[in-house]
Amino acid sequence: KLKKEQINILVVGLNNSGKSTIVNHFKNPEEKSLVTVPTVGFSVEKFQNQGVNFTAFDMSGAGRYRSLWEHHFKSSQGIVFVIDSSDRMRLVVVKDELDTLLHHPDIVDRKVPILLFANKMDTPEALSSVKIAAALGLEKIKDKPWHISSSNALTGDGLQDGVQWLVQQIR
Ligand code: GDP
């Protein structure tokens, strides 16, 4: 059964985690950009695919642009949180950002589903999704549906399944 209502998905994560590559994967061919421009703090992507609106933001930039993505929490029915599995140094920053998101007034009391991509699973340094889940304390999230998927945004591995899970939680 096809439902036609639009849903808004917010894609967030640190710079270089793979957000642009991931959202590019879900674009129609004519929309795909050949180069991804680093755009710290600004909306990097906004497009629509089969009734799903994706908006992506970079969480880097020392929180200077925080209000830009937090502004979208209210109108988002699902969140994709992208993690560079090979970037062990910044895993603690990732945890801070995730905790801040989970406690935000526009998120904290809602059962908004959260999909985490443990991206760059193809790299030799990549931590497994299980290790990332433990490092981020995901087991403590009891009041929202969440799911962590390993992904390789370069080949698209894991992307469709992850987003399918998210859309199923919403529709
Ligand atoms: P963003 O800053 O979060 O939008 O990250 P980008 O999508 O621009 O990706 C940052 C860099 O990581 C680019 O050079 C991508 O080609 C690369 N990249 C993204 N996803 C993957 C992945 O799954 N595996 C590998 N090996 N590289 C990736």
Side-chain angles (χ1 to χ4, degrees), residues 4 13 15 17 25-26 41 67-68 72-73 82 88 101 104 114 119-120 128 139 155 160 165-166 170:
K4 281 285 159 89
N15 66 310
S17 56
H25 181 83
F26 291 101
S67 59
L68 282 182
H72 288 266
F73 284 166
V82 185
R88 298 172 184 222
L101 180 150
H104 189 276
I114 301 176
N119 194 39
K120 306 197 186 182
S128 70
E139 79 284 349
T155 60
Q160 197 70 48
W165 174 85
L166 189 63
I170 300 164

Side-chain angles (χ1 to χ4, degrees), residues 13-22 36 38 44 58 82 119-123 151-155:
L14 300 187
N15 66 310
N16 200 49
S17 56
K19 299 177 300 297
S20 302
T21 313
I22 287 172
T36 51
V44 289
D58 221 313
V82 185
N119 194 39
K120 306 197 186 182
M121 68 179 189
D122 56 296
T123 59
S151 63
N152 175 350
L154 297 183
T155 60

Side-chain angles (χ1 to χ4, degrees), residues 43-165:
S43 172
V44 289
E45 307 286 345
K46 195 176 174 72
F47 67 99
Q48 202 249 81
N49 180 324
Q50 295 174 21
V52 182
N53 300 309
F54 291 85
T55 305
F57 279 94
D58 221 313
M59 282 178 147
S60 313
R64 272 198 296 160
Y65 304 102
R66 182 169 298 280
S67 59
L68 282 182
W69 72 77
E70 288 184 346
H71 172 74
H72 288 266
F73 284 166
K74 237 185 206 127
S75 58
S76 298
Q77 285 90 47
I79 291 175
V80 177
F81 196 101
V82 185
I83 301 153
D84 177 349
S85 309
S86 69
D87 191 357
R88 298 172 184 222
M89 295 283 284
R90 289 201 297 172
L91 205 49
V92 55
V93 182
V94 170
K95 186 179 184 339
D96 272 355
E97 286 298 351
L98 179 63
D99 290 345
T100 302
L101 180 150
L102 291 171
H103 291 107
H104 189 276
D106 292 338
I107 296 285
V108 70
D109 293 324
R110 293 169 57 207
K111 295 197 189 310
V112 51
I114 301 176
L115 168 70
L116 302 103
F117 275 128
N119 194 39
K120 306 197 186 182
M121 68 179 189
D122 56 296
T123 59
E125 320 83 64
L127 287 172
S128 70
S129 59
V130 172
K131 286 208 170 124
I132 290 175
L136 298 180
L138 298 184
E139 79 284 349
K140 295 197 195 89
I141 309 176
K142 308 268 195 213
D143 58 342
K144 300 178 197 345
W146 61 267
H147 181 74
I148 185 163
S149 286
S150 291
S151 63
N152 175 350
L154 297 183
T155 60
D157 280 358
L159 297 185
Q160 197 70 48
D161 288 354
V163 168
Q164 196 177 328
W165 174 85

